[in-house]
Amino acid sequence: MGVAIPIAMLAMSAAGKGMQMAASNAEGIQKKTASQIESMKLKMAAEAGRVRAQQVDAQYRDELNETMQTIGAIRSAQNVGFDSPTSFALYDKAETINDRARVVAASNERLKALGLEGDAAQTLAAGRMARTTAALKMIPTGLSLGQELATGIPKLFE
């Protein structure tokens, strides 16, 4: 009966330390999983950004076509040929303005997508680091448990 109490205390202490280690491990797994989910969200947002860039590009090209048609209609209504120097100058100016705006708008969307991809990679790395940190946090508790068992068990048999 004199040995039962120290065994129970040793078992409870060991169970407590085991629970601490399990909690630390679960925390690391949870943080890693959360970072993976966030990373997937960011990757999806980046892909949506690349699609937006293509849509913006197409929209500006459509606007350029409409502008060219309008210029052609106005010049035609004025009885001026589409191949006149003034028509060429108007077409060229409209194309230059549109191309500049199109490239800037599409590039901005692509840059946002690149930023989101970088955020996704950083989020994944943070999750891996959290998992590693949780594993490292278990080491002192595990060593303490080992020390407790190594010193406690022999004392039971003294």
Side-chain angles (χ1 to χ4, degrees), residues 39 41-54 105-121:
S39 176
K41 288 178 184 178
L42 290 167
K43 286 179 182 179
M44 288 173 56
E47 186 59 34
R50 281 191 290 280
V51 170
R52 271 193 311 277
Q54 291 174 344
S107 294
N108 285 341
E109 293 298 330
R110 287 185 190 101
L111 285 173
K112 287 179 195 174
L114 284 174
L116 289 168
E117 284 178 341
D119 291 347

Coordinates of all heavy atoms in Angstrom, one line a residue, residues 39 41-54 105-121:
S39 N -3.6 29.5 -47.4 CA -2.8 29.5 -48.6 C -3.6 29.1 -49.8 O -3.5 29.7 -50.9 CB -1.6 28.5 -48.4 OG -0.9 28.4 -49.6
K41 N -6.8 29.6 -50.2 CA -7.7 30.8 -50.5 C -6.9 31.9 -51.2 O -7.4 32.5 -52.2 CB -8.2 31.4 -49.2 CG -9.2 30.6 -48.5 CD -9.7 31.3 -47.2 CE -10.6 30.5 -46.4 NZ -11.0 31.1 -45.1
L42 N -5.6 32.1 -50.8 CA -4.8 33.1 -51.5 C -4.5 32.7 -52.9 O -4.4 33.5 -53.8 CB -3.5 33.4 -50.6 CG -3.8 34.1 -49.3 CD1 -2.5 34.0 -48.4 CD2 -4.2 35.5 -49.6
K43 N -4.2 31.4 -53.1 CA -3.9 30.9 -54.4 C -5.1 31.1 -55.3 O -4.9 31.4 -56.5 CB -3.4 29.4 -54.4 CG -2.0 29.3 -53.8 CD -1.6 27.8 -53.8 CE -0.2 27.6 -53.2 NZ 0.2 26.2 -53.1
M44 N -6.3 30.8 -54.8 CA -7.5 30.9 -55.6 C -7.7 32.4 -56.0 O -8.1 32.7 -57.1 CB -8.7 30.4 -54.9 CG -8.7 28.9 -54.8 SD -10.0 28.2 -53.8 CE -11.5 28.9 -54.5
A45 N -7.4 33.3 -55.0 CA -7.6 34.7 -55.3 C -6.5 35.2 -56.3 O -6.8 36.0 -57.2 CB -7.4 35.5 -54.0
A46 N -5.3 34.6 -56.3 CA -4.3 34.9 -57.3 C -4.8 34.5 -58.7 O -4.6 35.2 -59.7 CB -3.0 34.3 -56.9
E47 N -5.3 33.3 -58.7 CA -5.8 32.8 -60.0 C -7.0 33.7 -60.6 O -7.0 34.0 -61.7 CB -6.3 31.3 -59.9 CG -6.7 30.7 -61.2 CD -5.6 30.6 -62.2 OE1 -4.4 30.5 -61.8 OE2 -5.9 30.8 -63.4
A48 N -7.8 34.1 -59.7 CA -8.9 35.0 -60.1 C -8.3 36.3 -60.6 O -8.8 36.9 -61.5 CB -9.8 35.3 -58.9
G49 N -7.2 36.8 -60.0 CA -6.6 38.0 -60.4 C -6.0 37.8 -61.8 O -6.1 38.8 -62.7
R50 N -5.4 36.7 -62.1 CA -4.9 36.4 -63.5 C -6.1 36.4 -64.5 O -5.9 36.9 -65.6 CB -4.1 35.1 -63.5 CG -2.7 35.3 -63.0 CD -1.9 34.1 -63.3 NE -2.3 32.9 -62.5 CZ -2.0 32.7 -61.2 NH1 -1.2 33.6 -60.6 NH2 -2.4 31.6 -60.6
V51 N -7.2 35.8 -64.1 CA -8.4 35.8 -65.0 C -8.9 37.3 -65.2 O -9.2 37.7 -66.3 CB -9.5 34.9 -64.4 CG1 -10.8 35.1 -65.2 CG2 -9.1 33.5 -64.4
R52 N -8.9 38.1 -64.1 CA -9.3 39.5 -64.2 C -8.4 40.2 -65.2 O -8.8 41.1 -65.9 CB -9.3 40.1 -62.8 CG -10.6 40.0 -62.1 CD -10.7 41.0 -60.9 NE -9.5 41.0 -60.0 CZ -9.3 40.1 -59.1 NH1 -10.2 39.1 -58.8 NH2 -8.2 40.1 -58.3
A53 N -7.1 39.9 -65.1 CA -6.1 40.6 -66.0 C -6.5 40.3 -67.5 O -6.5 41.2 -68.3 CB -4.7 40.1 -65.7
Q54 N -6.9 39.0 -67.8 CA -7.3 38.7 -69.1 C -8.6 39.3 -69.5 O -8.7 39.8 -70.6 CB -7.4 37.1 -69.3 CG -6.1 36.4 -69.2 CD -6.3 34.9 -69.2 OE1 -7.4 34.4 -68.9 NE2 -5.2 34.2 -69.4
A105 N -3.6 48.5 -66.8 CA -4.7 47.8 -66.0 C -4.4 46.3 -65.9 O -4.6 45.7 -64.8 CB -6.0 48.1 -66.7
A106 N -4.0 45.7 -67.0 CA -3.8 44.2 -66.9 C -2.6 43.9 -66.1 O -2.5 43.0 -65.3 CB -3.6 43.7 -68.4
S107 N -1.5 44.8 -66.2 CA -0.3 44.6 -65.4 C -0.6 44.7 -63.9 O -0.1 44.0 -63.1 CB 0.8 45.6 -65.8 OG 1.2 45.3 -67.1
N108 N -1.5 45.7 -63.6 CA -1.9 45.8 -62.1 C -2.5 44.6 -61.6 O -2.2 44.2 -60.5 CB -2.8 47.0 -62.0 CG -2.0 48.4 -62.1 OD1 -0.8 48.4 -61.9 ND2 -2.7 49.4 -62.3
E109 N -3.4 44.0 -62.4 CA -4.1 42.8 -61.9 C -3.1 41.6 -61.8 O -3.2 40.8 -60.9 CB -5.2 42.4 -62.9 CG -6.4 43.3 -62.9 CD -7.1 43.5 -61.6 OE1 -7.1 42.5 -60.8 OE2 -7.6 44.6 -61.3
R110 N -2.1 41.5 -62.7 CA -1.1 40.5 -62.7 C -0.2 40.7 -61.4 O 0.2 39.7 -60.8 CB -0.3 40.4 -63.9 CG -1.0 39.9 -65.1 CD -0.2 39.7 -66.3 NE -1.0 39.4 -67.5 CZ -1.4 40.3 -68.4 NH1 -1.0 41.5 -68.4 NH2 -2.1 39.9 -69.4
L111 N 0.1 41.9 -61.1 CA 0.9 42.2 -60.0 C 0.2 41.8 -58.7 O 0.8 41.3 -57.7 CB 1.4 43.7 -59.9 CG 2.5 44.1 -60.9 CD1 2.7 45.6 -61.0 CD2 3.8 43.4 -60.6
K112 N -1.1 42.1 -58.6 CA -1.9 41.7 -57.4 C -1.8 40.2 -57.3 O -1.7 39.7 -56.2 CB -3.3 42.2 -57.6 CG -3.5 43.7 -57.4 CD -5.0 44.0 -57.6 CE -5.2 45.5 -57.8 NZ -6.6 45.8 -58.1
A113 N -2.0 39.5 -58.4 CA -1.9 38.0 -58.4 C -0.6 37.5 -57.9 O -0.5 36.6 -57.1 CB -2.3 37.5 -59.8
L114 N 0.5 38.2 -58.3 CA 1.8 37.8 -57.9 C 2.0 38.0 -56.4 O 2.5 37.2 -55.7 CB 2.9 38.5 -58.6 CG 3.2 38.1 -60.1 CD1 4.2 39.0 -60.7 CD2 3.7 36.6 -60.1
G115 N 1.4 39.1 -55.9 CA 1.5 39.4 -54.5 C 0.7 38.4 -53.7 O 1.2 37.9 -52.6
L116 N -0.4 38.0 -54.2 CA -1.2 37.0 -53.5 C -0.5 35.6 -53.5 O -0.6 34.9 -52.5 CB -2.6 36.8 -54.1 CG -3.5 38.0 -53.9 CD1 -4.8 37.9 -54.8 CD2 -3.9 38.1 -52.4
E117 N 0.2 35.3 -54.6 CA 0.9 34.0 -54.6 C 2.1 34.1 -53.6 O 2.3 33.1 -52.9 CB 1.5 33.8 -56.0 CG 0.4 33.3 -57.0 CD 1.0 33.1 -58.4 OE1 2.0 33.6 -58.7 OE2 0.3 32.4 -59.1
G118 N 2.7 35.2 -53.5 CA 3.8 35.4 -52.5 C 3.2 35.2 -51.1 O 3.8 34.6 -50.2
D119 N 2.0 35.8 -50.8 CA 1.4 35.7 -49.5 C 1.1 34.2 -49.2 O 1.2 33.8 -48.1 CB 0.1 36.5 -49.4 CG 0.4 38.0 -49.4 OD1 1.6 38.4 -49.2 OD2 -0.5 38.8 -49.6
A120 N 0.6 33.5 -50.3 CA 0.3 32.1 -50.1 C 1.5 31.3 -49.7 O 1.4 30.4 -48.8 CB -0.4 31.5 -51.4
A121 N 2.6 31.5 -50.4 CA 3.8 30.8 -50.0 C 4.3 31.1 -48.6 O 4.7 30.3 -47.9 CB 4.9 31.2 -51.1

